[in-house]
Amino acid sequence: MPRRRSRIVSEPMAEDQANPIPSAEPGSPPPTGKRSNLFARVAVGVVAGPVVLGLSWLGGWPFVAMILLLAGLCQWEFYGLARAKGDAPNRPLGLTLGLLLNGLFAFRAPDAILPVLLVGAAAVLMVELWRRVGSPLHNVSATLSGVLYPALTLGSAIAIRTGFAPAPGSALTPEALLSVERGFTDPAMGAFFVLLLLTVWANDTVAYFVGRAFGRHRLFERVSPKKSWEGFAGGFVGSVLVAGAGAVALPIPWLTAGYAVALGMLVGLFGPMGDLVESLLKRDAGVKDSSAMIPGHGGFLDRFDSLAFLLPLIYAWLYWLAR
């Protein structure tokens, strides 16, 4: 089988921090296309931001439905990137497996995730026997990769929101279902998840504006030519400050000042890594955005790339604290 060349391109991504390039007179308005794109970004953020924050604070099954939908959409876009590389991932089977695994998070049955994942991997391999398209090795790899990232990594948001309270008895009994509902509506974990989102958004926003104003030293030029160390540092500081402020302002009794600083540091260090990882995948696929589903923003994976990378780390951190 001939070896395929990787197509890593170097065009700038819309979300990158940029140095100001004087292509027009100072004070001149941005081009019409940029103005309309900025308006679309702001309009979507004004509408979608409060919805995401509200459902995160509320918890319950509406929150679960939101996460399952976001994970499925991001997984769909991931498979689109694989198809742009010439692979043929098994979208129906991969999406079903991702939904099933994240459903186990919803019913607080994480011990069942590994057996289901192993059986699902065997099913993906077996079904490929009857698929006569593309490379079976690439197809299987892409299908299972999409199950792990971004589906399962985003699904760990459900586990975080439960507050790590063990559900009594079988996950299929009415008593267990009621316990799951109480876990999802715990106000402290709702406030924590809202703070996590605000910290991630602060990291992105501060990094962007600091990078535009002061960025001179490239962070990872091969993957994201316009991201800078100055923007990275600004985003890190912004994350720590927002996490610290949230620990004071929000009703999260267990979130001490030390834990808040640790949260901000985790977001500040690893949030940009999620952005870079997704940029690497898009550049390899030769596309600018993961899709065009969100006006002015690109795709869902473009908007939730940092969370898709961060959430498993936050989950592991909380798991360690809970022990």
Side-chain angles (χ1 to χ4, degrees), residues 206-224:
V206 175
Y208 175 80
F209 285 107
V210 171
R212 280 190 64 88
F214 305 107
R216 295 295 181 269
H217 303 87
R218 300 306 175 207
L219 176 64
F220 212 120
E221 190 168 5
R222 179 176 66 88
V223 173
S224 191

mmCIF file with all atom_site columns, all heavy atoms in Angstrom, residues 206-224:
data_model
loop_
_atom_site.group_PDB
_atom_site.id
_atom_site.type_symbol
_atom_site.label_atom_id
_atom_site.label_alt_id
_atom_site.label_comp_id
_atom_site.label_asym_id
_atom_site.label_entity_id
_atom_site.label_seq_id
_atom_site.pdbx_PDB_ins_code
_atom_site.Cartn_x
_atom_site.Cartn_y
_atom_site.Cartn_z
_atom_site.occupancy
_atom_site.B_iso_or_equiv
_atom_site.pdbx_formal_charge
_atom_site.auth_seq_id
_atom_site.auth_comp_id
_atom_site.auth_asym_id
_atom_site.auth_atom_id
_atom_site.pdbx_PDB_model_num
ATOM 1   N N   . VAL A 1 206 ? -8.443  36.195 26.652 1.00 0.00 ? 206 VAL A N   1
ATOM 2   C CA  . VAL A 1 206 ? -7.276  36.981 27.057 1.00 0.00 ? 206 VAL A CA  1
ATOM 3   C C   . VAL A 1 206 ? -6.072  36.629 26.190 1.00 0.00 ? 206 VAL A C   1
ATOM 4   O O   . VAL A 1 206 ? -5.304  37.517 25.775 1.00 0.00 ? 206 VAL A O   1
ATOM 5   C CB  . VAL A 1 206 ? -6.968  36.761 28.549 1.00 0.00 ? 206 VAL A CB  1
ATOM 6   C CG1 . VAL A 1 206 ? -5.681  37.491 28.949 1.00 0.00 ? 206 VAL A CG1 1
ATOM 7   C CG2 . VAL A 1 206 ? -8.134  37.236 29.408 1.00 0.00 ? 206 VAL A CG2 1
ATOM 8   N N   . ALA A 1 207 ? -5.904  35.343 25.886 1.00 0.00 ? 207 ALA A N   1
ATOM 9   C CA  . ALA A 1 207 ? -4.788  34.945 25.028 1.00 0.00 ? 207 ALA A CA  1
ATOM 10  C C   . ALA A 1 207 ? -4.890  35.597 23.654 1.00 0.00 ? 207 ALA A C   1
ATOM 11  O O   . ALA A 1 207 ? -3.885  36.047 23.085 1.00 0.00 ? 207 ALA A O   1
ATOM 12  C CB  . ALA A 1 207 ? -4.757  33.425 24.885 1.00 0.00 ? 207 ALA A CB  1
ATOM 13  N N   . TYR A 1 208 ? -6.094  35.679 23.117 1.00 0.00 ? 208 TYR A N   1
ATOM 14  C CA  . TYR A 1 208 ? -6.282  36.275 21.799 1.00 0.00 ? 208 TYR A CA  1
ATOM 15  C C   . TYR A 1 208 ? -5.884  37.749 21.796 1.00 0.00 ? 208 TYR A C   1
ATOM 16  O O   . TYR A 1 208 ? -5.112  38.206 20.950 1.00 0.00 ? 208 TYR A O   1
ATOM 17  C CB  . TYR A 1 208 ? -7.740  36.118 21.369 1.00 0.00 ? 208 TYR A CB  1
ATOM 18  C CG  . TYR A 1 208 ? -8.057  36.804 20.061 1.00 0.00 ? 208 TYR A CG  1
ATOM 19  C CD1 . TYR A 1 208 ? -7.722  36.213 18.851 1.00 0.00 ? 208 TYR A CD1 1
ATOM 20  C CD2 . TYR A 1 208 ? -8.679  38.051 20.036 1.00 0.00 ? 208 TYR A CD2 1
ATOM 21  C CE1 . TYR A 1 208 ? -8.004  36.839 17.643 1.00 0.00 ? 208 TYR A CE1 1
ATOM 22  C CE2 . TYR A 1 208 ? -8.960  38.688 18.840 1.00 0.00 ? 208 TYR A CE2 1
ATOM 23  C CZ  . TYR A 1 208 ? -8.628  38.072 17.642 1.00 0.00 ? 208 TYR A CZ  1
ATOM 24  O OH  . TYR A 1 208 ? -8.894  38.703 16.457 1.00 0.00 ? 208 TYR A OH  1
ATOM 25  N N   . PHE A 1 209 ? -6.402  38.522 22.748 1.00 0.00 ? 209 PHE A N   1
ATOM 26  C CA  . PHE A 1 209 ? -6.147  39.961 22.735 1.00 0.00 ? 209 PHE A CA  1
ATOM 27  C C   . PHE A 1 209 ? -4.716  40.292 23.148 1.00 0.00 ? 209 PHE A C   1
ATOM 28  O O   . PHE A 1 209 ? -4.101  41.211 22.592 1.00 0.00 ? 209 PHE A O   1
ATOM 29  C CB  . PHE A 1 209 ? -7.158  40.678 23.627 1.00 0.00 ? 209 PHE A CB  1
ATOM 30  C CG  . PHE A 1 209 ? -8.530  40.772 23.008 1.00 0.00 ? 209 PHE A CG  1
ATOM 31  C CD1 . PHE A 1 209 ? -9.569  39.993 23.482 1.00 0.00 ? 209 PHE A CD1 1
ATOM 32  C CD2 . PHE A 1 209 ? -8.765  41.611 21.940 1.00 0.00 ? 209 PHE A CD2 1
ATOM 33  C CE1 . PHE A 1 209 ? -10.833 40.061 22.907 1.00 0.00 ? 209 PHE A CE1 1
ATOM 34  C CE2 . PHE A 1 209 ? -10.014 41.698 21.350 1.00 0.00 ? 209 PHE A CE2 1
ATOM 35  C CZ  . PHE A 1 209 ? -11.057 40.914 21.840 1.00 0.00 ? 209 PHE A CZ  1
ATOM 36  N N   . VAL A 1 210 ? -4.159  39.571 24.106 1.00 0.00 ? 210 VAL A N   1
ATOM 37  C CA  . VAL A 1 210 ? -2.760  39.798 24.465 1.00 0.00 ? 210 VAL A CA  1
ATOM 38  C C   . VAL A 1 210 ? -1.853  39.420 23.295 1.00 0.00 ? 210 VAL A C   1
ATOM 39  O O   . VAL A 1 210 ? -0.866  40.126 22.998 1.00 0.00 ? 210 VAL A O   1
ATOM 40  C CB  . VAL A 1 210 ? -2.388  39.016 25.737 1.00 0.00 ? 210 VAL A CB  1
ATOM 41  C CG1 . VAL A 1 210 ? -0.879  39.073 25.986 1.00 0.00 ? 210 VAL A CG1 1
ATOM 42  C CG2 . VAL A 1 210 ? -3.132  39.564 26.941 1.00 0.00 ? 210 VAL A CG2 1
ATOM 43  N N   . GLY A 1 211 ? -2.176  38.320 22.621 1.00 0.00 ? 211 GLY A N   1
ATOM 44  C CA  . GLY A 1 211 ? -1.386  37.919 21.465 1.00 0.00 ? 211 GLY A CA  1
ATOM 45  C C   . GLY A 1 211 ? -1.432  38.940 20.349 1.00 0.00 ? 211 GLY A C   1
ATOM 46  O O   . GLY A 1 211 ? -0.422  39.223 19.696 1.00 0.00 ? 211 GLY A O   1
ATOM 47  N N   . ARG A 1 212 ? -2.608  39.505 20.108 1.00 0.00 ? 212 ARG A N   1
ATOM 48  C CA  . ARG A 1 212 ? -2.732  40.526 19.065 1.00 0.00 ? 212 ARG A CA  1
ATOM 49  C C   . ARG A 1 212 ? -1.932  41.778 19.410 1.00 0.00 ? 212 ARG A C   1
ATOM 50  O O   . ARG A 1 212 ? -1.318  42.404 18.547 1.00 0.00 ? 212 ARG A O   1
ATOM 51  C CB  . ARG A 1 212 ? -4.201  40.903 18.868 1.00 0.00 ? 212 ARG A CB  1
ATOM 52  C CG  . ARG A 1 212 ? -4.988  39.935 18.031 1.00 0.00 ? 212 ARG A CG  1
ATOM 53  C CD  . ARG A 1 212 ? -6.354  40.486 17.681 1.00 0.00 ? 212 ARG A CD  1
ATOM 54  N NE  . ARG A 1 212 ? -6.236  41.681 16.850 1.00 0.00 ? 212 ARG A NE  1
ATOM 55  C CZ  . ARG A 1 212 ? -6.156  41.657 15.519 1.00 0.00 ? 212 ARG A CZ  1
ATOM 56  N NH1 . ARG A 1 212 ? -6.150  40.500 14.886 1.00 0.00 ? 212 ARG A NH1 1
ATOM 57  N NH2 . ARG A 1 212 ? -6.071  42.783 14.842 1.00 0.00 ? 212 ARG A NH2 1
ATOM 58  N N   . ALA A 1 213 ? -1.932  42.149 20.679 1.00 0.00 ? 213 ALA A N   1
ATOM 59  C CA  . ALA A 1 213 ? -1.291  43.398 21.080 1.00 0.00 ? 213 ALA A CA  1
ATOM 60  C C   . ALA A 1 213 ? 0.221   43.253 21.278 1.00 0.00 ? 213 ALA A C   1
ATOM 61  O O   . ALA A 1 213 ? 0.982   44.174 20.932 1.00 0.00 ? 213 ALA A O   1
ATOM 62  C CB  . ALA A 1 213 ? -1.931  43.918 22.360 1.00 0.00 ? 213 ALA A CB  1
ATOM 63  N N   . PHE A 1 214 ? 0.658   42.129 21.831 1.00 0.00 ? 214 PHE A N   1
ATOM 64  C CA  . PHE A 1 214 ? 2.057   42.018 22.247 1.00 0.00 ? 214 PHE A CA  1
ATOM 65  C C   . PHE A 1 214 ? 2.779   40.809 21.658 1.00 0.00 ? 214 PHE A C   1
ATOM 66  O O   . PHE A 1 214 ? 3.981   40.643 21.926 1.00 0.00 ? 214 PHE A O   1
ATOM 67  C CB  . PHE A 1 214 ? 2.141   41.946 23.774 1.00 0.00 ? 214 PHE A CB  1
ATOM 68  C CG  . PHE A 1 214 ? 1.456   43.082 24.473 1.00 0.00 ? 214 PHE A CG  1
ATOM 69  C CD1 . PHE A 1 214 ? 0.243   42.881 25.134 1.00 0.00 ? 214 PHE A CD1 1
ATOM 70  C CD2 . PHE A 1 214 ? 2.005   44.351 24.473 1.00 0.00 ? 214 PHE A CD2 1
ATOM 71  C CE1 . PHE A 1 214 ? -0.393  43.925 25.783 1.00 0.00 ? 214 PHE A CE1 1
ATOM 72  C CE2 . PHE A 1 214 ? 1.369   45.405 25.122 1.00 0.00 ? 214 PHE A CE2 1
ATOM 73  C CZ  . PHE A 1 214 ? 0.168   45.195 25.770 1.00 0.00 ? 214 PHE A CZ  1
ATOM 74  N N   . GLY A 1 215 ? 2.086   39.953 20.912 1.00 0.00 ? 215 GLY A N   1
ATOM 75  C CA  . GLY A 1 215 ? 2.694   38.717 20.455 1.00 0.00 ? 215 GLY A CA  1
ATOM 76  C C   . GLY A 1 215 ? 3.880   38.939 19.523 1.00 0.00 ? 215 GLY A C   1
ATOM 77  O O   . GLY A 1 215 ? 3.752   39.601 18.494 1.00 0.00 ? 215 GLY A O   1
ATOM 78  N N   . ARG A 1 216 ? 5.026   38.394 19.888 1.00 0.00 ? 216 ARG A N   1
ATOM 79  C CA  . ARG A 1 216 ? 6.228   38.486 19.054 1.00 0.00 ? 216 ARG A CA  1
ATOM 80  C C   . ARG A 1 216 ? 6.925   37.131 18.890 1.00 0.00 ? 216 ARG A C   1
ATOM 81  O O   . ARG A 1 216 ? 7.582   36.895 17.889 1.00 0.00 ? 216 ARG A O   1
ATOM 82  C CB  . ARG A 1 216 ? 7.228   39.482 19.670 1.00 0.00 ? 216 ARG A CB  1
ATOM 83  C CG  . ARG A 1 216 ? 6.743   40.931 19.700 1.00 0.00 ? 216 ARG A CG  1
ATOM 84  C CD  . ARG A 1 216 ? 6.573   41.497 18.305 1.00 0.00 ? 216 ARG A CD  1
ATOM 85  N NE  . ARG A 1 216 ? 6.142   42.896 18.355 1.00 0.00 ? 216 ARG A NE  1
ATOM 86  C CZ  . ARG A 1 216 ? 4.872   43.284 18.361 1.00 0.00 ? 216 ARG A CZ  1
ATOM 87  N NH1 . ARG A 1 216 ? 3.910   42.358 18.379 1.00 0.00 ? 216 ARG A NH1 1
ATOM 88  N NH2 . ARG A 1 216 ? 4.550   44.565 18.390 1.00 0.00 ? 216 ARG A NH2 1
ATOM 89  N N   . HIS A 1 217 ? 6.812   36.272 19.881 1.00 0.00 ? 217 HIS A N   1
ATOM 90  C CA  . HIS A 1 217 ? 7.533   35.002 19.872 1.00 0.00 ? 217 HIS A CA  1
ATOM 91  C C   . HIS A 1 217 ? 6.540   33.858 19.626 1.00 0.00 ? 217 HIS A C   1
ATOM 92  O O   . HIS A 1 217 ? 5.588   33.699 20.394 1.00 0.00 ? 217 HIS A O   1
ATOM 93  C CB  . HIS A 1 217 ? 8.281   34.789 21.192 1.00 0.00 ? 217 HIS A CB  1
ATOM 94  C CG  . HIS A 1 217 ? 9.247   35.888 21.515 1.00 0.00 ? 217 HIS A CG  1
ATOM 95  N ND1 . HIS A 1 217 ? 8.867   37.029 22.200 1.00 0.00 ? 217 HIS A ND1 1
ATOM 96  C CD2 . HIS A 1 217 ? 10.570  36.036 21.225 1.00 0.00 ? 217 HIS A CD2 1
ATOM 97  C CE1 . HIS A 1 217 ? 9.918   37.821 22.342 1.00 0.00 ? 217 HIS A CE1 1
ATOM 98  N NE2 . HIS A 1 217 ? 10.953  37.248 21.749 1.00 0.00 ? 217 HIS A NE2 1
ATOM 99  N N   . ARG A 1 218 ? 6.783   33.095 18.595 1.00 0.00 ? 218 ARG A N   1
ATOM 100 C CA  . ARG A 1 218 ? 5.844   32.056 18.187 1.00 0.00 ? 218 ARG A CA  1
ATOM 101 C C   . ARG A 1 218 ? 5.832   30.882 19.168 1.00 0.00 ? 218 ARG A C   1
ATOM 102 O O   . ARG A 1 218 ? 6.869   30.398 19.605 1.00 0.00 ? 218 ARG A O   1
ATOM 103 C CB  . ARG A 1 218 ? 6.175   31.547 16.779 1.00 0.00 ? 218 ARG A CB  1
ATOM 104 C CG  . ARG A 1 218 ? 6.124   32.633 15.715 1.00 0.00 ? 218 ARG A CG  1
ATOM 105 C CD  . ARG A 1 218 ? 4.809   33.343 15.738 1.00 0.00 ? 218 ARG A CD  1
ATOM 106 N NE  . ARG A 1 218 ? 4.759   34.468 14.824 1.00 0.00 ? 218 ARG A NE  1
ATOM 107 C CZ  . ARG A 1 218 ? 3.987   35.522 14.992 1.00 0.00 ? 218 ARG A CZ  1
ATOM 108 N NH1 . ARG A 1 218 ? 3.219   35.618 16.056 1.00 0.00 ? 218 ARG A NH1 1
ATOM 109 N NH2 . ARG A 1 218 ? 3.974   36.496 14.107 1.00 0.00 ? 218 ARG A NH2 1
ATOM 110 N N   . LEU A 1 219 ? 4.619   30.436 19.471 1.00 0.00 ? 219 LEU A N   1
ATOM 111 C CA  . LEU A 1 219 ? 4.443   29.339 20.420 1.00 0.00 ? 219 LEU A CA  1
ATOM 112 C C   . LEU A 1 219 ? 4.691   27.988 19.766 1.00 0.00 ? 219 LEU A C   1
ATOM 113 O O   . LEU A 1 219 ? 5.432   27.158 20.287 1.00 0.00 ? 219 LEU A O   1
ATOM 114 C CB  . LEU A 1 219 ? 3.030   29.384 21.010 1.00 0.00 ? 219 LEU A CB  1
ATOM 115 C CG  . LEU A 1 219 ? 2.632   28.249 21.951 1.00 0.00 ? 219 LEU A CG  1
ATOM 116 C CD1 . LEU A 1 219 ? 3.493   28.274 23.204 1.00 0.00 ? 219 LEU A CD1 1
ATOM 117 C CD2 . LEU A 1 219 ? 1.148   28.357 22.315 1.00 0.00 ? 219 LEU A CD2 1
ATOM 118 N N   . PHE A 1 220 ? 4.065   27.749 18.616 1.00 0.00 ? 220 PHE A N   1
ATOM 119 C CA  . PHE A 1 220 ? 4.185   26.466 17.922 1.00 0.00 ? 220 PHE A CA  1
ATOM 120 C C   . PHE A 1 220 ? 3.943   26.734 16.439 1.00 0.00 ? 220 PHE A C   1
ATOM 121 O O   . PHE A 1 220 ? 2.903   26.403 15.896 1.00 0.00 ? 220 PHE A O   1
ATOM 122 C CB  . PHE A 1 220 ? 3.159   25.465 18.465 1.00 0.00 ? 220 PHE A CB  1
ATOM 123 C CG  . PHE A 1 220 ? 3.618   24.033 18.430 1.00 0.00 ? 220 PHE A CG  1
ATOM 124 C CD1 . PHE A 1 220 ? 3.721   23.296 19.586 1.00 0.00 ? 220 PHE A CD1 1
ATOM 125 C CD2 . PHE A 1 220 ? 3.939   23.428 17.229 1.00 0.00 ? 220 PHE A CD2 1
ATOM 126 C CE1 . PHE A 1 220 ? 4.122   21.968 19.560 1.00 0.00 ? 220 PHE A CE1 1
ATOM 127 C CE2 . PHE A 1 220 ? 4.353   22.115 17.180 1.00 0.00 ? 220 PHE A CE2 1
ATOM 128 C CZ  . PHE A 1 220 ? 4.449   21.375 18.347 1.00 0.00 ? 220 PHE A CZ  1
ATOM 129 N N   . GLU A 1 221 ? 4.927   27.335 15.800 1.00 0.00 ? 221 GLU A N   1
ATOM 130 C CA  . GLU A 1 221 ? 4.740   27.876 14.455 1.00 0.00 ? 221 GLU A CA  1
ATOM 131 C C   . GLU A 1 221 ? 4.370   26.817 13.437 1.00 0.00 ? 221 GLU A C   1
ATOM 132 O O   . GLU A 1 221 ? 3.611   27.080 12.507 1.00 0.00 ? 221 GLU A O   1
ATOM 133 C CB  . GLU A 1 221 ? 6.005   28.610 14.016 1.00 0.00 ? 221 GLU A CB  1
ATOM 134 C CG  . GLU A 1 221 ? 5.823   29.421 12.741 1.00 0.00 ? 221 GLU A CG  1
ATOM 135 C CD  . GLU A 1 221 ? 6.994   30.351 12.490 1.00 0.00 ? 221 GLU A CD  1
ATOM 136 O OE1 . GLU A 1 221 ? 7.981   30.288 13.257 1.00 0.00 ? 221 GLU A OE1 1
ATOM 137 O OE2 . GLU A 1 221 ? 6.908   31.126 11.529 1.00 0.00 ? 221 GLU A OE2 1
ATOM 138 N N   . ARG A 1 222 ? 4.885   25.605 13.577 1.00 0.00 ? 222 ARG A N   1
ATOM 139 C CA  . ARG A 1 222 ? 4.587   24.565 12.600 1.00 0.00 ? 222 ARG A CA  1
ATOM 140 C C   . ARG A 1 222 ? 3.105   24.229 12.553 1.00 0.00 ? 222 ARG A C   1
ATOM 141 O O   . ARG A 1 222 ? 2.554   23.891 11.496 1.00 0.00 ? 222 ARG A O   1
ATOM 142 C CB  . ARG A 1 222 ? 5.387   23.294 12.936 1.00 0.00 ? 222 ARG A CB  1
ATOM 143 C CG  . ARG A 1 222 ? 5.123   22.122 11.984 1.00 0.00 ? 222 ARG A CG  1
ATOM 144 C CD  . ARG A 1 222 ? 6.020   20.946 12.336 1.00 0.00 ? 222 ARG A CD  1
ATOM 145 N NE  . ARG A 1 222 ? 5.710   20.390 13.631 1.00 0.00 ? 222 ARG A NE  1
ATOM 146 C CZ  . ARG A 1 222 ? 4.791   19.441 13.829 1.00 0.00 ? 222 ARG A CZ  1
ATOM 147 N NH1 . ARG A 1 222 ? 4.078   18.978 12.823 1.00 0.00 ? 222 ARG A NH1 1
ATOM 148 N NH2 . ARG A 1 222 ? 4.582   18.959 15.038 1.00 0.00 ? 222 ARG A NH2 1
ATOM 149 N N   . VAL A 1 223 ? 2.431   24.327 13.687 1.00 0.00 ? 223 VAL A N   1
ATOM 150 C CA  . VAL A 1 223 ? 1.023   23.958 13.771 1.00 0.00 ? 223 VAL A CA  1
ATOM 151 C C   . VAL A 1 223 ? 0.115   25.174 13.685 1.00 0.00 ? 223 VAL A C   1
ATOM 152 O O   . VAL A 1 223 ? -0.907  25.172 13.008 1.00 0.00 ? 223 VAL A O   1
ATOM 153 C CB  . VAL A 1 223 ? 0.753   23.178 15.077 1.00 0.00 ? 223 VAL A CB  1
ATOM 154 C CG1 . VAL A 1 223 ? -0.739  22.945 15.268 1.00 0.00 ? 223 VAL A CG1 1
ATOM 155 C CG2 . VAL A 1 223 ? 1.497   21.853 15.053 1.00 0.00 ? 223 VAL A CG2 1
ATOM 156 N N   . SER A 1 224 ? 0.483   26.235 14.416 1.00 0.00 ? 224 SER A N   1
ATOM 157 C CA  . SER A 1 224 ? -0.360  27.421 14.491 1.00 0.00 ? 224 SER A CA  1
ATOM 158 C C   . SER A 1 224 ? 0.531   28.656 14.404 1.00 0.00 ? 224 SER A C   1
ATOM 159 O O   . SER A 1 224 ? 1.012   29.150 15.421 1.00 0.00 ? 224 SER A O   1
ATOM 160 C CB  . SER A 1 224 ? -1.155  27.408 15.803 1.00 0.00 ? 224 SER A CB  1
ATOM 161 O OG  . SER A 1 224 ? -2.154  28.380 15.805 1.00 0.00 ? 224 SER A OG  1
#
